[in-house]
Amino acid sequence: METWQTFAVAAISLCVVCVCRAWMMKIKRDEKKSEEEEEEEERFVIPRGSRGWPFIGETLEFIASGYTSTPVSFMEYRKSLYGDVFRTHILGKAIVVSTDPDVSKVILQNHGNAFMPCYPKSITELLGKSSILQINGALHKRLHTLIGVFLKSAQLKDRITRDIERIVVLTLSSWMGKTCQLYVQDETKKITFEILVRVLMSIGPGDEMECIKREFEEFIKGLICLPVNLPGTRLYKSLKAKKRLLKVVDKIVEARKTAMETNGEKVPPNDAIDVLLRDSGDSHGIPLDFISGNIIEMMIPGEETVPTAMTLAVKFLVDNPVALAHMVEENMELKKRKKDSCEDYSWADYMSLLFTQNVINETLRLSNIINAVWRKALKEVKIKGYLIPKGWCVLASFSSVHMDETNYENPYEFDPWRWKKMGSAANSSIFTPFGGGQRLCPGLELSRLEISIFLHHLVTTYRLSAERDEIIYFPTVKMKRKLPITVTPLEQ
């Protein structure tokens, strides 16, 4: 009996010891885990920075830098003080700015829907809540995919190549015999707007085109302005212009919808309205009242980004005679080859002009027409040691990356030859002129084609002489004097 009691006491003691040991080990593990979590939190910090003055923040400094030859100086100065990712307050918003390509890549990729679009109030007011720039999730993905597939379709590529050639050649031929100066910025806008309206709505030259262009020019002036909607203000005038523009586009969409219901869908889509209307019949497709507003928004590249890229490419080439001569030589070879074979140009022909593509890359990098994207954190995000709290706005600065000497040697020099050495950099996180991730511009290939065709026919038709002009970077990138040039036909 005593033996049994002794055994029981020993067993109970052993159990107590084991339980106590397990409990102590758990406490130690919890303490270690807590320490690790504290260390983890310490490793991720909210970016440093300054909020600037009450209400206006650092907006005045930001705008002032846009009127200098180095607009990226605003970002570079704060980067030197606070690091590659920092806080500031501009255009009415407290934001985190990323000048780090790896951080910006995470923001653009937007895995797990961590970010949503977040833009200055003037843009959100003008474009509206259903804008492709602001919507998020499945609807944005569907719209982006539909337009992207259409713009890359073989049928469109063949047709649009011929259309762009015709418009470019017609515009350039109108310069023949003119002794006065031409303004490249105005001439390129005529070309690109007509092309884009044709792709979006199948509208050619005429009163309807002129009406759309007139109202659109008034509308787009308010994209970057004070967000005050009172009679006489810029925002008020732009909103009124958009209302008139919507009436015009609504009529076109309604007429096309009626024709589609009458004739059915027997032929491939001819333009963006056709693509969106066909999808609007699906219960999970694009809402019908969503179409007109987004067609208007898709006109923006035709009025701003593409003609600006064309204009700046001409400026950079004229300022660099060696690059211009190399460009002429490459394009003359293609022109001679097509003339000898009696074949039409194709999309692939223009894309095969390697030096021309390098000129386009360098123009896009150096000009930074789209200098950044704005996002808002939908949840707490940890990136590369930084903590971005939920609800904070984030700006991924493309221009800071493009003008960083750690990414590009002599970044302020126009050097198309750098792209031959850089190779795959054109598809990397250090080169993002068209954005990236889920919101990569679906029209990037079409934009390159337009610029390529324009430059090809320009340098194989005329000898160029340009006056000195300066680039203005705020509110949008443009030439101060619209780049005046004098052209002389090569035949002379």
Side-chain angles (χ1 to χ4, degrees):
M1 184 70 177
E2 289 180 358
T3 303
W4 181 85
Q5 287 176 336
T6 302
F7 177 77
V9 170
I12 291 171
S13 299
L14 181 62
C15 288
V16 170
V17 170
C18 290
V19 170
C20 289
R21 182 179 176 84
W23 183 65
M24 291 297 293
M25 289 179 68
K26 183 178 185 301
I27 290 175
K28 288 182 178 180
R29 284 197 304 270
D30 289 346
E31 288 177 347
K32 185 178 180 182
K33 184 177 179 182
S34 178
E35 289 174 0
E36 289 175 349
E37 287 176 348
E38 287 179 6
E39 290 176 3
E40 178 76 6
E41 288 299 323
E42 289 176 2
R43 284 199 296 269
F44 289 91
V45 296
I46 294 175
R48 298 181 299 133
S50 171
R51 290 184 61 85
W53 295 93
F55 304 112
I56 62 173
E58 298 185 298
T59 300
L60 296 180
E61 296 98 311
F62 176 71
I63 292 175
S65 70
Y67 286 98
T68 69
S69 59
T70 55
V72 76
S73 60
F74 176 88
M75 305 297 183
E76 290 302 304
Y77 177 67
R78 284 149 187 81
K79 178 181 175 180
S80 69
L81 292 177
Y82 309 118
D84 292 343
V85 180
F86 57 86
R87 282 182 293 163
T88 184
H89 191 287
I90 56 175
L91 300 175
K93 288 186 182 293
I95 61 170
V96 170
V97 175
S98 167
T99 66
D100 183 305
D102 295 331
V103 174
S104 296
K105 182 179 180 181
V106 173
I107 295 169
L108 291 172
Q109 294 295 336
N110 192 24
H111 293 302
N113 288 323
F115 297 96
M116 68 175 291
C118 175
Y119 286 92
K121 192 174 180 181
S122 59
I123 293 179
T124 58
E125 285 275 335
L126 269 178
L127 298 184
K129 294 180 180 179
S130 63
S131 158
I132 188 175
L133 197 67
Q134 299 189 75
I135 59 172
N136 212 30
L139 183 57
H140 171 269
K141 185 177 181 180
R142 190 177 185 95
L143 179 59
H144 192 279
T145 301
L146 284 169
I147 296 299
V149 169
F150 170 66
L151 293 178
K152 293 175 183 176
S153 65
Q155 173 218 355
L156 177 72
K157 283 185 174 183
D158 290 341
R159 177 168 60 84
I160 202 61
T161 299
R162 294 192 299 271
D163 284 346
I164 296 172
E165 283 178 335
R166 181 184 56 77
I167 294 169
V168 167
V169 171
L170 190 62
T171 301
L172 295 183
S173 65
S174 70
W175 301 356
M176 290 287 184
K178 287 187 177 180
T179 55
C180 60
Q181 286 180 330
L182 298 163
Y183 294 91
V184 179
Q185 195 164 283
D186 288 341
E187 297 296 324
T188 53
K189 281 188 178 184
K190 293 176 187 176
I191 293 169
T192 56
F193 193 80
E194 183 176 339
I195 291 166
L196 200 52
V197 172
R198 184 177 291 276
V199 171
L200 296 175
M201 297 181 281
S202 299
I203 293 176
D207 292 342
E208 196 170 37
M209 169 77 81
E210 290 303 314
C211 174
I212 291 172
K213 192 174 192 322
R214 183 173 60 253
E215 298 297 355
F216 184 81
E217 286 174 349
E218 185 70 11
F219 154 71
I220 204 172
K221 288 176 184 176
L223 282 180
I224 303 293
C225 69
L226 289 173
V228 179
N229 184 16
L230 293 174
T233 63
R234 177 67 269 161
L235 183 59
Y236 180 86
K237 293 176 182 177
S238 291
L239 284 169
K240 290 293 184 183
K242 185 182 180 183
K243 191 173 181 180
R244 294 190 296 268
L245 191 55
L246 275 170
K247 286 184 179 180
V248 177
V249 180
D250 279 341
K251 286 182 181 179
I252 296 169
V253 172
E254 285 295 332
R256 192 72 61 80
K257 183 173 180 290
T258 302
M260 192 175 289
E261 290 171 348
T262 303
N263 303 323
E265 300 179 8
K266 297 177 182 178
V267 295
N270 197 51
D271 54 32
I273 288 181
D274 283 351
V275 172
L276 299 182
L277 275 176
R278 293 183 183 202
D279 193 72
S280 67
D282 189 331
S283 59
H284 300 289
I286 304 298
L288 188 61
D289 59 357
F290 181 85
I291 294 176
S292 296
N294 279 277
I295 289 292
I296 292 172
E297 186 178 332
M298 290 177 206
M299 294 182 202
I300 294 174
E303 179 67 14
E304 288 292 328
T305 54
V306 178
T308 301
M310 289 177 173
T311 302
L312 292 176
V314 173
K315 172 182 168 49
F316 294 144
L317 285 169
V318 171
D319 290 347
N320 190 320
V322 177
L324 178 57
H326 200 93
M327 177 101 165
V328 171
E329 182 182 0
E330 179 185 65
N331 282 269
M332 280 297 190
E333 287 179 6
L334 175 61
K335 185 174 183 177
K336 183 178 184 303
R337 192 162 66 246
K338 302 308 290 184
K339 185 177 180 180
D340 292 344
S341 65
C342 298
E343 294 178 350
D344 292 333
Y345 286 88
S346 68
W347 183 303
D349 288 325
Y350 291 107
M351 294 300 105
S352 71
L353 295 165
L354 298 182
F355 187 75
T356 301
Q357 296 309 312
N358 290 342
V359 166
I360 294 172
N361 281 344
E362 186 69 347
T363 298
L364 295 171
R365 181 197 69 81
L366 195 55
S367 59
N368 292 296
I369 300 165
I370 305 297
N371 59 24
V373 295
W374 297 63
R375 297 289 183 264
K376 181 179 180 180
L378 295 175
K379 55 187 177 184
E380 189 178 86
V381 181
K382 296 173 181 177
I383 313 174
K384 210 175 177 180
Y386 298 104
L387 174 67
I388 301 174
K390 178 181 178 181
W392 283 39
C393 287
V394 186
L395 185 147
S397 174
F398 299 156
S399 54
S400 296
V401 176
H402 291 163
M403 306 308 291
D404 190 332
E405 62 184 9
T406 61
N407 300 322
Y408 298 93
E409 186 179 351
N410 300 319
Y412 288 91
E413 289 185 11
F414 177 74
D415 179 12
W417 291 273
R418 78 168 80 240
W419 295 94
K420 186 176 181 180
K421 295 178 284 186
M422 295 181 69
S424 61
N427 299 311
S428 73
S429 59
I430 66 169
F431 185 61
T432 52
F434 295 101
Q438 299 173 0
R439 293 178 178 271
L440 179 68
C441 175
L444 67 91
E445 290 186 15
L446 177 60
S447 299
R448 281 188 173 277
L449 178 69
E450 288 184 67
I451 302 169
S452 300
I453 293 176
F454 171 72
L455 291 176
H456 171 78
H457 290 281
L458 177 65
V459 301
T460 59
T461 306
Y462 291 109
R463 186 177 294 107
L464 311 175
S465 173
E467 291 190 8
R468 186 174 181 80
D469 201 355
E470 299 175 23
I471 304 173
I472 296 174
Y473 293 92
F474 191 88
T476 57
V477 179
K478 59 186 176 182
M479 299 304 302
K480 186 175 182 178
R481 300 176 55 214
K482 301 182 180 180
L483 191 59
I485 65 168
T486 302
V487 295
T488 306
L490 289 176
E491 293 177 358
Q492 295 180 14

